[in-house]
Amino acid sequence: MESFNIFYSVLKYIPSPIRMESIIVGLAVHSPLKKFSHFYRIKNTRRVVAFDDEYNKDFFKMVMDSLAYDLDYSYNEYSESLFNDDIKRFSDIEQDNFLDTRISYLANEFQFSPIESLQTSDSEVKNDLENLQKMYLYYDRPKSERITKTEVRNLLSKQLNSYHLAHITKSPKIYDEFGGNNLYDYQINDEILVKAISFDYKRINQLSTELKNVIYDLKQLNTSNISKVILTRNDNLEFLPEKHKLAFDNFKIKIKNIENVKNLKIDLIPLSELEGTLNKTKA
């Protein structure tokens, strides 16, 4: 089963350069091997209206349509005879830097995140594309169809595999104090731990329990060989209930306190920033 990479980037809408608050409004994906590229746009634009009371419907649609024109391409055996214009416009579809050349010009209100990659295969690519949409265009789906923590961990695994890291251990032998659960999902180069967490719990009590456990485990962590912990979180936090947002803010404060006490770097990031965070560590 041949594996190949999917490259992706998340589009954020930032109406105010002063506040720098953002909402995810699109997802660009590209597979050089499969000659495939697509821009998935937000469907639930009511979220955008609620986020920005000065939202310009016509301007927003123009930007979305322009990105679809620049990015939507799916090669098939009839393409050359039927869509010569597309063949010319997408002559670089097999290049790894295709996505970068198509999205790097955007700035100000619309900004793409640094390009990420994940490793997939013919049998898994459909589910992986679905999970990326579920991850980043989260509110386009009913609650029963939103991404699960297991699916988030699966995306995390595929992203790490696409980086071809020299030393990576899945489910490292770092257990809770009762010797039961593995506390972290991955260990990289023996010194970096990675764990997926979520702030999207229906009940604040469930979220509170999860965050307390993470904080407790960080306090108990033996840091003699560990220099960094990366906590990958769900994006889409702009529409969390107020109690959940408060929990998120308090969690960040407690993490900072642990960093100071244990001389440990703790990064709390969305999955779309994982590779950039690892690259900063190397530097």
Side-chain angles (χ1 to χ4, degrees), residues 59-177:
F59 175 69
F60 188 87
K61 183 179 184 301
M62 182 189 70
V63 174
M64 297 293 105
D65 289 346
S66 175
L67 286 168
Y69 180 79
D70 288 340
L71 291 166
D72 288 357
Y73 181 76
S74 181
Y75 180 84
N76 62 62
E77 60 183 308
Y78 303 109
S79 292
E80 291 194 33
S81 59
L82 295 179
F83 303 109
N84 281 322
D85 179 57
D86 282 353
I87 290 293
K88 293 176 183 177
R89 288 196 302 112
F90 291 90
S91 61
D92 56 342
I93 190 69
E94 296 179 79
Q95 302 299 314
D96 284 353
N97 68 346
F98 166 85
L99 199 55
D100 185 51
T101 62
R102 299 296 170 111
I103 66 176
S104 59
Y105 70 91
L106 280 181
N108 301 324
E109 297 105 321
F110 294 90
Q111 296 182 23
F112 275 100
S113 68
I115 295 170
E116 274 285 354
S117 64
L118 61 86
Q119 197 171 72
T120 188
S121 65
D122 285 333
S123 62
E124 298 175 327
V125 63
K126 184 177 179 180
N127 281 338
D128 289 339
L129 289 174
E130 189 80 7
N131 285 340
L132 283 173
Q133 294 173 69
K134 288 166 71 175
M135 178 78 169
Y136 295 108
L137 300 177
Y138 186 82
Y139 293 103
D140 276 353
R141 298 170 182 270
K143 291 182 180 179
S144 60
E145 297 177 16
R146 291 176 184 170
I147 196 164
T148 66
K149 196 167 184 178
T150 299
E151 290 168 334
V152 171
R153 286 198 175 111
N154 188 40
L155 286 177
L156 169 61
S157 172
K158 289 173 180 290
Q159 283 195 199
L160 287 173
N161 286 338
S162 76
Y163 304 158
H164 302 293
L165 300 169
H167 302 288
I168 181 168
T169 303
K170 185 176 182 179
S171 301
K173 295 179 180 179
I174 302 175
Y175 303 108
D176 62 31
E177 61 183 4

Side-chain angles (χ1 to χ4, degrees), residues 138-139 143 198-208 211 234 236-252 268:
Y138 186 82
Y139 293 103
K143 291 182 180 179
S198 174
F199 287 88
D200 186 46
Y201 282 87
K202 295 177 183 177
R203 297 183 179 87
I204 187 63
N205 290 343
Q206 291 176 299
L207 175 61
S208 177
L211 298 184
N234 52 310
N236 302 293
L237 299 183
E238 63 273 3
F239 293 109
L240 285 176
E242 285 303 316
K243 287 185 178 180
H244 290 60
K245 287 182 180 178
L246 181 60
F248 176 59
D249 291 338
N250 287 337
F251 184 68
K252 290 191 291 184
L268 178 62

Side-chain angles (χ1 to χ4, degrees), residues 257-274:
N257 292 337
I258 294 173
E259 282 186 315
N260 295 335
V261 171
K262 298 183 74 74
N263 193 28
L264 175 71
K265 178 63 177 173
I266 306 172
D267 288 320
L268 178 62
I269 60 167
L271 197 57
S272 59
E273 296 178 12
L274 179 58

